[in-house]
Amino acid sequence: MKKPLGTLASLALGAALWGHFEAGWVRLRSIPVPIPGLPGELDGLRVVHLSDFHLGFPSRGERAVKRAIEWTAAREPDLVLITGDLLSRPGAERKLRELLDRVPGSFAVLGNHDFAHSRDPFSKPSVVSDLPKTTVLLDEARTIEVRGRSVQIVGIDPRSYRLGVSRPSELADPEADLRILLCHFPSVIDRVQPGLFDLVLAGHLHAGQIVVPYGRGKVRFAHLRWTYAEGLYRRPGGVLHVSPGLGTTFVPFRFFARPEATELVLRRMFDG
């Protein structure tokens, strides 16, 4: 009896050590994203998508966030867009400000953890909406000029989204050359009017955070029923990218769900 118990204990310890390591083992990658009807001037536009910092929660996720910010600053992308859950505890607000100062001109939305709207017993409200070098959008839109073209960025407030009263389609400007929607929750892609947004960015799911692969699939224990877990999806509402995120919540581990910072390189694609 002692031998099986010892084996199980060794396996559990090994899994915990791996999960601890993986939480800080950030993947930094660049992927092409074809966008139908993208203006020629915006072909090759580089958008870094970051999400789910969860600063204040003790884990190696903070290491992943720092490395992702360093990488982003070094690449000098055209846009830096962040999709929520910046803080898990208010004590990390100073750290957040220091990190975001390195990527000035970025845009962000908040997530449910920023308001402590979660089942995580360690989460505390830590709303930050006045970041000097980052524009936080709460059911708001901003239009900026990039390469001589108008790019509209729409951001959804997680509170109104969860109540079902947000109206992202009403904020979209059909005259903008490129329209990007930021929302913490990936399911927003099924709630927007087709044809209004070219690119939709979301996070929330941490790629499952604790995952067991099998065959060609994965069991994501934290999010068994979600349709959009990570990566790119082409839907009527636009091209959706779901970030695996950078931090952790509930437990300080990741298992077969590495943190990631993603540079999306927009490519011109013609319909038909």
Side-chain angles (χ1 to χ4, degrees):
M1 188 66 179
K2 290 183 179 180
K3 188 174 181 179
L5 288 176
T7 300
L8 287 174
S10 296
L11 288 172
L13 177 60
L17 290 173
W18 175 260
H20 172 72
F21 167 77
E22 189 173 325
W25 186 30
V26 62
R27 178 186 289 115
L28 308 167
R29 67 169 178 162
S30 179
I31 59 174
V33 181
I35 301 291
L38 185 72
E41 294 88 342
L42 298 180
D43 185 49
L45 189 81
R46 295 183 299 120
V47 179
V48 169
H49 181 196
L50 307 174
S51 194
D52 297 271
F53 296 179
H54 289 283
L55 293 173
F57 183 82
S59 84
R60 273 171 47 89
E62 183 174 317
R63 175 190 177 94
V65 176
K66 290 178 180 177
R67 181 70 186 94
I69 291 291
E70 290 171 358
W71 178 77
T72 300
R75 293 192 70 79
E76 298 183 343
D78 297 287
L79 291 171
V80 178
L81 304 177
I82 306 166
T83 50
D85 279 0
L86 308 181
L87 293 170
S88 284
R89 295 179 181 175
E93 181 177 329
R94 180 177 177 182
K95 175 64 67 177
L96 174 68
R97 293 178 181 277
E98 291 173 353
L99 289 169
L100 292 183
D101 279 352
R102 299 198 59 187
V103 286
S106 55
F107 292 84
V109 292
L110 301 180
N112 56 300
H113 277 265
D114 294 307
F115 296 94
H117 292 168
S118 77
R119 292 172 293 177
D120 185 350
F122 304 107
S123 185
K124 296 181 180 180
S126 43
V127 181
V128 175
S129 59
D130 60 341
L131 298 166
K133 298 183 181 180
T134 297
T135 301
V136 178
L137 300 174
L138 299 173
D139 289 335
E140 299 170 279
R142 295 287 188 278
T143 300
I144 60 175
E145 184 176 306
V146 182
R147 301 184 182 182
R149 289 287 190 160
S150 59
V151 176
Q152 188 194 36
I153 302 166
V154 175
I156 298 304
D157 188 322
R159 296 166 297 182
S160 64
Y161 183 83
R162 285 164 69 93
L163 291 172
V165 297
S166 62
R167 298 290 182 267
S169 296
E170 295 178 6
L171 294 171
D173 177 7
E175 300 301 318
D177 296 309
L178 176 67
R179 294 172 297 279
I180 302 174
L181 175 63
L182 309 182
C183 182
H184 184 60
F185 304 103
S187 52
V188 71
I189 192 67
D190 295 323
R191 299 191 188 184
V192 294
Q193 183 178 328
L196 281 184
F197 292 101
D198 303 294
L199 181 64
V200 180
L201 305 183
H204 185 54
L205 301 181
H206 303 190
Q209 189 168 317
I210 305 297
V211 174
V212 175
Y214 69 92
R216 296 183 180 180
K218 297 178 179 179
V219 177
R220 297 179 173 89
F221 286 101
H223 303 286
L224 292 172
R225 299 181 181 179
W226 284 77
T227 303
Y228 312 114
E230 61 176 309
L232 288 170
Y233 303 85
R234 188 171 296 278
R235 293 293 182 266
V239 177
L240 169 68
H241 180 256
V242 183
S243 170
L246 294 163
T248 63
T249 187
F250 287 99
V251 293
F253 310 123
R254 280 182 178 251
F255 199 74
F256 288 103
R258 283 179 66 184
E260 179 177 304
T262 319
E263 181 184 69
L264 310 173
V265 182
L266 307 192
R267 289 301 182 188
R268 197 176 187 193
M269 175 180 142
F270 295 95
D271 293 313

PDB file of all heavy atoms in Angstrom, residues 31 194 232:
ATOM      1  N   ILE A  31       1.605  35.833 -35.361  1.00  0.00           N
ATOM      2  CA  ILE A  31       0.823  35.023 -36.289  1.00  0.00           C
ATOM      3  C   ILE A  31       0.120  35.915 -37.307  1.00  0.00           C
ATOM      4  O   ILE A  31      -0.316  37.018 -36.987  1.00  0.00           O
ATOM      5  CB  ILE A  31      -0.217  34.151 -35.557  1.00  0.00           C
ATOM      6  CG1 ILE A  31      -1.189  35.020 -34.749  1.00  0.00           C
ATOM      7  CG2 ILE A  31       0.465  33.142 -34.655  1.00  0.00           C
ATOM      8  CD1 ILE A  31      -2.319  34.238 -34.116  1.00  0.00           C
ATOM      9  N   PRO A 194     -23.248  40.915 -37.697  1.00  0.00           N
ATOM     10  CA  PRO A 194     -22.256  40.546 -38.720  1.00  0.00           C
ATOM     11  C   PRO A 194     -21.881  41.729 -39.604  1.00  0.00           C
ATOM     12  O   PRO A 194     -22.730  42.554 -39.955  1.00  0.00           O
ATOM     13  CB  PRO A 194     -22.973  39.466 -39.537  1.00  0.00           C
ATOM     14  CG  PRO A 194     -23.968  38.869 -38.584  1.00  0.00           C
ATOM     15  CD  PRO A 194     -24.432  40.027 -37.731  1.00  0.00           C
ATOM     16  N   LEU A 232      -7.510  31.590 -32.992  1.00  0.00           N
ATOM     17  CA  LEU A 232      -8.286  32.318 -33.992  1.00  0.00           C
ATOM     18  C   LEU A 232      -9.543  31.561 -34.397  1.00  0.00           C
ATOM     19  O   LEU A 232      -9.524  30.338 -34.560  1.00  0.00           O
ATOM     20  CB  LEU A 232      -7.434  32.565 -35.242  1.00  0.00           C
ATOM     21  CG  LEU A 232      -6.311  33.595 -35.122  1.00  0.00           C
ATOM     22  CD1 LEU A 232      -5.416  33.537 -36.353  1.00  0.00           C
ATOM     23  CD2 LEU A 232      -6.873  35.008 -34.943  1.00  0.00           C
TER      24      LEU A 232
END
